[in-house]
Amino acid sequence: MSALILALLVAAAVVAWALARGWRTIAPWPHMRPVAWLVTAGAVADVARMALERYALNGEPKPYVGLVRIAYHAEQALVLGWPAALVAVSMVAFMRRRAWPAAVPWTLAVVAVAWAYPWLRQERLGYAYAAWSWLCCGTVAGMAWRSYHRVDWGPHHVAALLLVAGETIAAFAYLDQQALQRWDGPRAAHGVALGLVVAYLGRQVWRYRR
Amino acid sequence: MTALVYALGVVAVSTAIGVLLLAQRVRRVEGMLLDLERVRRREVKRRARKRAKAEAAEREAVRH
């Protein structure tokens, strides 16, 4: 299932870059670049997270200490990074602002979860992750609502919103430790969202093909 | 079962996004039609003014 998510992320990155660079289309769409960077970074982060889980955290005694703890916090930073990246892309797409201010709350969140460890783990960590995800998704929803009557939404807006939809639903799993350990619900949510993004952007490539 | 519920949740939210997008497109087309109607009315008024001016000039020419 993880391999499927990774494959969908790579497929989404390919179609997003095809639109952004105009590989097979009439003209390049520079406004697709943030979305292309987002899914590319998502694919890289997914590989890094899987590598950390398999090679650094697998079978280590809890609570983690030393280098293993650093690897664990790096994995947490990647988990917290996806909703923050959605906010960053939405700031560029909906508000036409720079993306970097989204890095400030993300850094604070990473420092907070690292500082609160080992108190903040298992159920408490799940609640913290859910709160973070919904805070980020709510911020994106607010930005989208503000821009709704001002800007005509294009494929880059829709792609960002579809990914936010996946994250919003996937975050429900953080509230249930059993669902979180099985991880099939969030994967299904992200899988459907990414599938829709690939289909939607693929249709744009086909529609504006050379 | 859980995966299906999550997948359906995403489909529901995506449908809502699609409806919003569609509503925006409809509003845009509606706006374009309103603009066209405004241009048409302006054109009708302009022609009426021109005709009235031409008729006035003609009347003036006949009198002299």
Side-chain angles (χ1 to χ4, degrees):
Chain A
M1 194 75 172
S2 284
L4 179 66
I5 297 290
L6 189 59
L8 283 167
L9 274 168
V10 172
V14 169
V15 282
W17 279 116
L19 284 169
R21 304 293 292 263
W23 284 338
R24 296 272 168 195
T25 52
I26 303 164
W29 287 357
H31 50 265
M32 277 303 295
R33 268 190 199 162
V35 175
W37 276 116
L38 172 73
V39 282
T40 308
V44 173
D46 212 31
V47 171
R49 204 179 49 75
M50 281 193 285
L52 281 170
E53 272 180 8
R54 183 169 294 179
Y55 300 112
L57 304 174
N58 196 16
E60 292 293 332
K62 290 176 187 174
Y64 301 125
V65 285
L67 282 177
V68 183
R69 185 174 170 181
I70 292 171
Y72 175 63
H73 293 321
E75 194 254 348
Q76 285 184 319
L78 293 173
V79 172
L80 294 170
W82 179 250
L86 288 171
V87 173
V89 166
S90 302
M91 281 173 73
V92 178
F94 292 108
M95 309 297 287
R96 292 176 184 167
R97 286 173 195 268
R98 289 177 184 276
W100 67 264
V104 177
W106 171 71
T107 310
L108 291 175
V110 171
V111 170
V113 292
W115 177 75
Y117 186 81
W119 178 80
L120 190 69
R121 62 195 188 109
Q122 293 174 339
E123 277 191 3
R124 287 183 193 131
L125 183 64
Y127 293 140
Y129 277 172
W132 172 252
S133 285
W134 286 331
L135 182 71
C136 291
C137 293
T139 308
V140 175
M143 286 192 276
W145 189 247
R146 269 197 73 182
S147 80
Y148 184 69
H149 293 286
R150 298 178 192 174
V151 184
D152 285 336
W153 286 354
H156 55 304
H157 298 108
V158 176
L161 284 175
L162 288 173
L163 295 173
V164 169
E167 180 59 27
T168 307
I169 301 298
F172 278 99
Y174 291 131
L175 303 180
D176 181 5
Q177 283 298 305
Q178 284 181 341
L180 192 59
Q181 276 159 15
R182 282 202 310 276
W183 208 238
D184 51 351
R187 278 175 186 153
H190 285 304
V192 170
L194 283 166
L196 287 169
V197 168
V198 171
Y200 181 68
L201 295 184
R203 186 175 159 263
Q204 304 300 320
V205 172
W206 178 253
R207 199 172 161 192
Y208 298 103
R209 69 188 180 279
R210 244 181 290 181
Chain B
M1 187 61 194
T2 318
L4 186 68
V5 172
Y6 277 77
L8 285 176
V10 177
V11 169
V13 179
S14 307
T15 309
I17 294 166
V19 168
L20 281 175
L21 192 67
L22 201 66
Q24 202 181 44
R25 298 255 163 97
V26 168
R27 209 185 53 188
R28 196 196 308 169
V29 171
E30 213 175 42
M32 276 160 53
L33 290 176
L34 280 174
D35 280 350
L36 281 175
E37 179 62 19
R38 211 169 292 142
V39 168
R40 196 188 63 81
R41 281 185 190 167
R42 204 177 297 153
E43 186 65 16
V44 167
K45 270 186 189 171
R46 197 181 67 83
R47 281 188 188 161
R49 257 200 316 270
K50 210 172 166 184
R51 200 169 46 238
K53 215 171 172 182
E55 280 170 7
E58 206 175 312
R59 275 199 301 273
E60 199 70 14
V62 168
R63 203 190 299 168
H64 290 292

